Amino acid sequence: MYQTTYHRASSVDEAASLFAKGSESKFLAGGQTLLPVMKQRLASPSDVIDLGKIKELQGVELSGDTLTIKAATIYYDIMTNADVKKAIPAIAYLTSVLGDPAVRYRGTIGGSIANNDPAADFPAALLALGATVKTNKRSISAEDFFQGLFTTALEDGEIITAVSFPVPAKAGYEKMRHPASRFALTGVFVAQTKSGEVRVAATGASQSGVMRVPAIEAALKANWSPSAIDGVSISASGLLADIHGTAEYRANLIKVMAQRAVAAAR
Amino acid sequence: MGVEGIGARVVRKEDKRFITGKGRYVDDIKLVGMTHAHFIRSPHAHAKVKGIDSSAALKMPGVVAVLTGREIVDDKVGNLICGWAITSKDGSPMKMGAWPAMAPETVRFVGQAVAVVIAESKNLARDAAEAVAVDYEELPAVADVQAAIKSGAPQLHPEAPGNQVYDWVIGDEGATDAAFAKAANVVKLDVTNNRLAPNAMEPRAAIADYDAAEEHFTLYTTSQNPHVARLVLSAFYNIAPEHKLRVIAPDVGGGFGSKIFIYPEEMVALWASKKVGRPVKWTGDRTEAFLTDAHGRDHVTHAEMAFDANNKITGFKVKTYANFGAYMSLFSSSVPTYLYATLLSGQYNIPAIHAEVIGVYTNTTPVDAYRGAGRPEASYLIERLMETAARQLKVDPAELRRTNFITQFPHQTPVIMAYDTGDFNASLDAAMKAIDYAGFAARKAQAKSQGKLRGIGVSCYIEACGIAPSKAVGSLGAGVGLWESAEVRVNPVGTIEILTGSHSHGQGHETTFCQLVADRLGVPISQVSIVHGDTDKVQFGMGTYGSRSAAVGLTAILKAMEKMESKAKKIAAHALEASEADIVIENGEFKVTGTDKAIALPMVALAAYTAHNLPDGMEPGLKESAFYDPTNFTFPAGTYICELEVDPGTGKTSFVDFVAADDFGRLINPMIVEGQVHGGLVQGIGQALLEHAIYDANGQPVTASFMDYAMPRADDVPSFNLSHTTTLCPGNPLGIKGCGEAGAIGASAAVINAITDAIGKNNLEMPATPDRVWRTINAA
Ligand SMILES: Cc1cc2nc3c(=O)[nH]c(=O)nc-3n(C[C@H](O)[C@H](O)[C@H](O)COP(=O)(O)OP(=O)(O)OC[C@H]3O[C@@H](n4cnc5c(N)ncnc54)[C@H](O)[C@@H]3O)c2cc1C
């Protein structure tokens, strides 16, 4: 009952058609989420379609004011990519504090956002930077893409092909690491767009997944500096609470991480 | 000492096989016809097992058998025992709830096995286990020790009313009360010692192989003490008489105490192997390790200390509730009593101590010895209290300790232990110097200007190790003697095999034990091998725990070496036509002192085995054995000082420096000792900052994976600054005290004392997670 058939797709189209043939197919990228879940027998796909070796899903491109990261690019390659470091160093930094070396050598940006773990790092970057998720069917704004805990706008069988980030004027990320898993206990991504808009997104904090933080956005819009956030009050209601952090603590972290992200922003 | 003798930093012989993946662990062993076991475990903390329907599973491919708790009880496999009898203050024996290897009627913790599937492969067994329908009737559960003793709490065992295992006392209550009546100052503290999951790298595993023709069992198991396992399996669990049961503990990937005990899985594998007529293998996974390996610690304590006007301690009162989990594991009863309360004098002269320990059943995984076992709880309590007292009495914490140090030895404490030797001022001095204690105030001010809260914390620990004199532990209720045995075999060509009852599961015995031989005979360690972990090879042994392998196990080897050397000298004297008294051993040769006459060890060995020309009446061969029973515990002690910074915005702790000045007596291999201290310190820091095995109010474990249970990683701990101040242990000829547990015993208090110093608030429980520290800083 836990048998599965493994397929290695060589193109996005082939992956989509393989997916359609299986009775309960799953795409596989870095496997850092899917494989543990299968080992625990919490998922039992009939067919596993590996996207990891598809050439068109690999790599980073910088063209004008747009940085595009293909979906199956592993974290390590993002973290060390010269264009990423030049255009949006906050993304290189975010990737460097994501998980541990083993996870960074396997996990992918596409897998991360498809999974949309409420404590994952990348969703905060996408939301704060106003990124666009490209799939084999359409383009989806980050705002529309993330729809709550482990839920996205992806339809069954839809494949993320890339994420495009508008290059900001400034951006920064800071994260309090979960002591056990190293996910974000709370992480805050702050960005100032080239048109002067301020966008702030927090991950790991809210019961409904990655979220914008309007109060901090307003404060930073008025004055882009860490001290501008001093007077902001963040409510603990609706925030996550668990053995590693109370809701009040997470509310505090949203502020403190935002201040540090602003201080680090480049 | 020679390049490979005592005191040399010899690189570990065993590491080649470990580092190249050639270790031989239980799971690496595959026997012909082997089947695989998968346990069906209770998802409930407390429930009645109303029925088990295995009919569907039995029809599945590859399924050999489904065996239940009812059957193992019907086959008269014995209930699990607790090997240390504790008597309550009212004279009644401790209350043992029955613990069958699989539950026939009632489950009392999440993870307790009710049945086992035996199949052709691990996955088939796992598949079939999902098809076994167990009908449970849930019962109310209790996980918290305080909740469990309240009236009206769910009751676990009919044998133990009020969930109480025992109510035990030690010390002189009258004298202690009198001291408090006259006290100039009284300092009070409530502390919780957080429950830990041991998490050895290798999960537990067992392979049982029953030979029907010989009516003989072989058990390969992850044990720290295979002979004790055989003894218990034979004498109490009715598996087979000792000569019909061979227990092999091959390479074992860490134990930390959790692999001392004989667990239900080994018993079931043995029993099932006979039932199905084939070898049965079980390898636990990490989740099973979290659910079923005996946990450690879990105390709730109220303590009060009385001081006179000169800040001298005059009395110490302690009341501790110890959470034992759902059943009494093999040595659990001794941990919060004789391994804890007997250390409550710490490094201090305390005229009167009284402690009461109440052992409690809860619907959680059983709790037993975990690295340090009782002594970390004692040390943490005393050292938190000393720091609290220093703050309350407004004296320097190091000075307060100095004022109260024991300086005369031997010293009889009011709680059984008689400390043989030590120099507590020396280790405190060394640690203070190493960390530049005097310069701390300036560093604190400097950190403050950068928005950081800097703190320093001292911990002066003492432990009782080398466990221990058989007569003494016997008089305190232990069911076994705690000597060790050894055998030295010199082969006819002069190579040497040392057979030892100590077991190595990461400690480096294969190197350190050879170093003793190299030291005495002057032969390279490559000529010596260590044989351990097999009841068919080594005649008997009590195993490895309580930092005892060097102090007790190595001393047994020394005793056997002395006997062997004495015989070899006779043979050499005979061959060299010299007097036995003139023979000295140097560089692998037996020499006539003051001459150039010599005979090499291989020639002596050959002479012993050819027996063509031995002294009249001498038996051939060169092989000697010895049993060594120590006369006292050993008392490693030392000072740890930790300097750290707390980030007030997040509550996160970062280490600045961590110094350790330990007195372990003689060191055989300083490099291995340092490794032991590093590991221990990391476990102590893990307890202080990260680790906590948590249950919700219904007894559901919340931390059953590494995604929730925070194990320390390399970047969570500082680089350690280690040193040694040595007083030789007078209790054994090598002067060894032991080093395996010290780090885990002393580190936690140093860390918490430093954090509470940094944040200026004294009440902080472990683990001091950033959330908890932040809330403490911001509490009204
Ligand atoms: C120990 C550990 C620590 C971690 N720490 C962090 C951390 O600190 N921060 C963090 O953000 N994450 C962390 N993670 C999660 C990690 O980032 C995961 O790898 C990630 O969530 C999934 O990426 P993946 O490439 O491994 O995807 P997979 O596990 O292969 O797939 C995950 C899901 O995404 C789907 N999917 C994958 N690619 C696509 C695609 N192109 N189109 C459509 N669907 C797709 C799959 O079908 C599956 O449902 C950690 C994981 C581990 C094991």
Side-chain angles (χ1 to χ4, degrees):
Chain A
M1 82 186 108
Y2 294 99
Q3 300 286 343
T4 192
T5 307
Y6 171 87
H7 309 269
R8 178 178 286 171
S10 53
S11 71
V12 172
D13 287 346
E14 190 197 353
S17 76
L18 283 166
F19 188 98
K21 279 187 210 145
S23 60
E24 217 178 302
S25 302
K26 271 275 182 197
F27 294 121
L28 173 74
Q32 297 301 289
T33 296
L34 184 59
L35 296 184
V37 169
M38 287 174 67
K39 281 193 202 162
Q40 289 169 318
R41 300 192 155 187
L42 298 172
S44 51
S46 61
D47 296 79
V48 168
I49 295 130
D50 190 349
L51 308 174
K53 293 287 183 298
I54 299 176
K55 284 243 160 47
E56 58 198 290
L57 294 182
Q58 295 290 339
V60 175
E61 278 165 17
L62 178 62
S63 110
D65 270 347
T66 304
L67 179 77
T68 301
I69 304 177
K70 307 280 184 57
T73 311
I74 60 166
Y75 300 132
Y76 179 79
D77 289 344
I78 299 171
M79 174 180 120
T80 52
N81 183 278
D83 286 335
V84 174
K85 289 202 252 183
K86 185 174 90 185
I88 317 181
I91 288 187
Y93 173 73
L94 172 149
T95 322
S96 76
V97 294
L98 190 161
D100 52 41
V103 171
R104 293 196 287 271
Y105 271 102
R106 283 274 173 199
T108 67
I109 186 171
S112 173
I113 61 171
N115 192 45
N116 192 18
D117 188 299
D121 296 292
F122 261 108
L126 268 70
L127 197 56
L129 291 165
T132 303
V133 178
K134 306 269 166 92
T135 76
N136 58 341
K137 297 189 177 146
R138 57 190 166 139
S139 291
I140 314 168
S141 74
E143 223 87 49
D144 295 336
F145 183 83
F146 299 113
Q147 301 187 341
L149 307 187
F150 301 103
T151 313
T152 67
L154 286 177
E155 284 162 10
D156 202 35
E158 189 171 3
I159 299 172
I160 302 168
T161 55
V163 183
S164 299
F165 297 93
V167 175
K170 274 182 182 168
Y173 182 65
E174 217 43 79
K175 157 192 192 183
M176 184 69 191
R177 292 199 288 191
H178 183 288
S181 73
R182 302 277 168 115
F183 275 77
L185 197 59
T186 288
V188 177
F189 202 105
V190 298
Q192 194 180 44
T193 66
K194 290 203 165 159
S195 61
E197 194 194 349
V198 172
R199 296 172 60 104
V200 175
T203 186
S206 165
Q207 289 170 14
S208 36
V210 65
M211 63 169 185
R212 300 269 297 268
V213 193
I216 293 180
E217 289 177 349
L220 290 176
K221 177 88 184 156
N223 172 15
W224 178 268
S225 82
S227 60
I229 303 170
D230 284 346
V232 174
S233 113
I234 304 285
S235 161
S237 108
L239 297 189
L240 291 163
D242 55 32
I243 56 170
H244 296 287
T246 50
E248 292 71 27
Y249 181 61
R250 283 183 163 89
N252 168 65
L253 284 181
I254 292 176
K255 254 178 92 163
V256 175
M257 292 300 120
Q259 290 179 312
R260 293 181 188 178
V262 170
R266 279 188 291 145
Chain B
M1 69 176 187
V3 286
E4 295 182 329
I6 290 175
R9 306 175 76 88
V10 179
V11 171
R12 301 200 333 166
K13 283 173 87 172
E14 47 270 74
D15 284 348
K16 182 172 175 188
R17 75 172 188 278
F18 294 152
I19 290 170
T20 57
K22 301 290 185 203
R24 293 175 293 267
Y25 299 91
V26 173
D27 193 53
D28 295 323
I29 297 167
K30 293 174 181 62
L31 302 183
V32 174
M34 189 166 78
T35 63
H36 298 262
H38 184 88
F39 285 89
I40 297 166
R41 300 186 180 280
S42 170
H44 306 295
H46 199 188
K48 282 245 169 298
V49 181
K50 303 195 68 178
I52 298 179
D53 180 358
S54 47
S55 51
L58 285 167
K59 291 187 197 116
M60 289 174 67
V63 173
V64 177
V66 178
L67 305 172
T68 66
R70 174 56 57 208
E71 290 164 83
I72 201 165
V73 170
D74 287 349
D75 280 356
K76 305 210 162 29
V77 172
N79 288 339
L80 278 83
I81 60 154
C82 179
W84 197 309
I86 299 291
T87 306
S88 284
K89 63 181 181 189
D90 66 4
S92 63
M94 63 184 187
K95 310 285 188 295
M96 286 285 294
W99 186 8
M102 294 192 290
E105 266 165 28
T106 310
V107 287
R108 296 183 177 85
F109 66 97
V110 172
Q112 186 173 4
V114 296
V116 64
V117 179
I118 313 288
E120 298 293 342
S121 80
K122 203 171 165 160
N123 274 329
L124 290 171
R126 210 176 154 195
D127 289 349
E130 290 181 24
V132 176
V134 185
D135 183 13
Y136 294 101
E137 178 192 323
E138 270 193 80
L139 299 171
V142 63
D144 179 75
V145 73
Q146 310 272 44
I149 53 168
K150 291 221 170 79
S151 70
Q155 298 291 300
L156 272 81
H157 298 282
E159 299 89 341
N163 295 322
Q164 187 170 298
V165 180
Y166 53 62
D167 181 349
W168 174 90
V169 289
I170 190 171
D172 186 334
E173 189 170 18
T176 312
D177 284 345
F180 275 82
K182 281 189 292 182
N185 288 292
V186 171
V187 178
K188 301 179 183 180
L189 189 69
D190 289 287
V191 297
T192 298
N193 204 288
N194 41 323
R195 177 185 281 242
L196 305 176
N199 277 318
M201 202 183 289
E202 180 204 20
R204 289 190 295 114
I207 303 173
D209 184 10
Y210 179 66
D211 178 338
E214 298 288 340
E215 295 178 2
H216 178 279
F217 290 89
T218 304
L219 174 68
Y220 301 85
T221 182
T222 48
S223 174
Q224 301 179 210
N225 34 226
H227 290 87
V228 176
R230 186 182 65 164
L231 169 66
V232 172
L233 289 162
S234 288
F236 299 98
Y237 301 158
N238 311 325
I239 299 292
E242 279 165 302
H243 66 300
K244 293 291 184 184
L245 173 59
R246 176 182 185 185
V247 178
I248 301 172
D251 282 334
V252 173
F256 312 111
S258 72
K259 291 172 181 166
I260 298 172
F261 326 119
I262 291 84
Y263 287 89
E265 289 84 358
E266 291 102 90
M267 297 163 63
V268 171
L270 285 161
W271 167 71
S273 170
K274 183 170 177 181
K275 274 201 120 57
V276 304
R278 290 170 61 182
V280 173
K281 180 186 218 171
W282 170 75
T283 302
D285 63 20
R286 187 55 62 187
T287 308
E288 288 180 295
F290 273 109
L291 297 180
T292 68
D293 290 5
H295 287 173
R297 321 280 192 256
D298 209 343
H299 285 191
V300 174
T301 296
H302 174 77
E304 300 187 9
M305 202 176 253
F307 288 84
D308 69 13
N310 300 318
N311 295 334
K312 290 237 184 225
I313 306 167
T314 54
F316 190 21
K317 259 197 272 200
V318 175
K319 185 166 188 179
T320 293
Y321 294 91
N323 188 341
F324 280 125
Y327 298 96
M328 293 302 285
S329 174
L330 190 61
F331 288 112
S332 57
S333 55
S334 65
V335 176
T337 49
Y338 291 111
L339 297 179
Y340 164 72
T342 56
L343 270 304
L344 285 172
S345 198
Q347 297 190 355
Y348 312 109
N349 218 322
I350 307 182
I353 299 178
H354 183 256
E356 176 172 14
V357 179
I358 296 160
V360 180
Y361 285 117
T362 62
N363 294 109
T364 61
T365 297
V367 175
D368 206 326
Y370 166 64
R371 202 171 190 170
R375 290 150 295 164
E377 296 90 317
S379 181
Y380 180 71
L381 176 66
I382 301 159
E383 292 307 291
R384 282 288 317 273
L385 200 47
M386 289 306 278
E387 204 77 18
T388 305
R391 288 168 193 167
Q392 192 174 317
L393 304 173
K394 303 206 170 2
V395 291
D396 179 81
E399 244 354 275
L400 182 66
R401 287 174 169 91
R402 234 186 257 290
T403 307
N404 287 286
F405 273 160
I406 294 161
T407 51
Q408 302 291 316
F409 295 91
H411 174 89
Q412 177 63 53
T413 72
V415 277
I416 298 178
M417 291 298 173
Y419 300 164
D420 51 5
T421 186
D423 186 346
F424 305 146
N425 275 305
S427 43
L428 179 61
D429 287 342
M432 287 171 74
K433 187 155 177 273
I435 206 155
D436 182 20
Y437 192 83
F440 174 73
R443 297 194 297 276
K444 187 178 175 86
Q446 166 76 19
K448 195 173 175 196
S449 71
Q450 288 159 2
K452 293 285 161 90
L453 306 172
R454 192 175 279 220
I456 196 162
V458 178
S459 168
C460 299
Y461 74 90
I462 187 162
E463 47 171 335
C465 291
I467 294 175
S470 301
K471 213 169 164 177
V473 295
S475 73
L476 303 177
V480 287
L482 292 172
W483 42 264
E484 195 47 88
S485 87
E487 186 177 319
V488 174
R489 288 185 195 161
V490 182
N491 296 319
V493 290
T495 56
I496 298 162
E497 285 160 317
I498 302 288
L499 286 73
T500 170
S502 297
H503 186 273
S504 186
H505 33 280
Q507 293 88 346
H509 295 171
E510 288 170 42
T511 307
T512 43
F513 288 6
C514 290
Q515 286 182 248
L516 174 72
V517 179
D519 197 82
R520 297 190 66 86
L521 303 180
V523 297
I525 62 170
S526 58
Q527 217 166 300
V528 188
S529 64
I530 303 298
V531 178
H532 72 95
D534 184 341
T535 58
D536 262 14
K537 291 183 181 166
V538 178
Q539 69 160 358
F540 213 93
M542 295 311 298
T544 290
Y545 39 83
S547 307
R548 68 194 301 273
S549 290
V552 188
L554 193 59
T555 306
I557 296 173
L558 173 70
K559 298 284 176 194
M561 284 289 291
E562 285 171 349
K563 290 188 194 172
M564 180 281 289
E565 288 163 17
S566 157
K567 182 172 182 183
K569 280 183 178 172
K570 288 194 179 76
I571 297 170
H574 183 71
L576 296 168
E577 296 176 340
S579 150
E580 190 192 328
D582 292 335
I583 304 288
V584 293
I585 309 175
E586 272 172 26
N587 299 325
E589 287 184 332
F590 291 73
K591 289 185 178 157
V592 182
T593 182
T595 73
D596 58 0
K597 289 209 294 186
I599 176 170
L601 173 65
M603 299 313 294
V604 174
L606 197 61
Y609 286 95
T610 56
H612 294 161
N613 183 19
L614 290 176
D616 280 348
M618 180 183 272
E619 283 178 21
L622 196 51
K623 180 188 95 138
E624 296 291 344
S625 66
F627 282 69
Y628 172 68
D629 200 347
T631 53
N632 193 357
F633 292 85
T634 65
F635 297 95
T639 294
Y640 297 154
I641 307 183
C642 159
E643 186 169 330
L644 48 74
E645 279 180 2
V646 174
D647 176 344
T650 62
K652 191 171 163 45
T653 297
S654 314
F655 287 99
V656 177
D657 203 355
F658 199 114
V659 303
D662 292 298
D663 180 357
F664 297 142
R666 191 181 310 286
L667 310 184
I668 304 296
N669 183 324
M671 182 195 72
I672 288 179
V673 169
E674 285 161 13
Q676 290 288 310
V677 177
H678 284 174
L681 290 174
V682 170
Q683 281 174 311
I685 290 171
Q687 170 162 34
L689 294 181
L690 297 157
E691 298 184 50
H692 195 183
I694 300 175
Y695 288 83
D696 72 12
N698 299 318
Q700 284 294 327
V702 179
T703 48
S705 90
F706 286 136
M707 292 308 255
D708 302 301
Y709 187 92
M711 283 296 279
R713 292 167 162 90
D715 64 352
D716 288 315
V717 297
S719 190
F720 300 109
N721 177 349
L722 309 186
S723 63
H724 301 281
T725 58
T726 299
T727 59
L728 294 180
C729 175
N732 61 67
L734 292 165
I736 291 171
K737 296 187 182 180
C739 67
E741 297 162 290
I745 289 170
S748 328
V751 175
I752 300 299
N753 286 342
I755 300 177
T756 51
D757 178 49
I759 65 177
K761 298 212 171 159
N762 198 59
N763 287 333
L764 178 69
E765 296 288 14
M766 299 191 290
T769 58
D771 169 48
R772 189 173 261 165
V773 173
W774 178 81
R775 281 186 284 126
T776 306
I777 294 173
N778 292 290

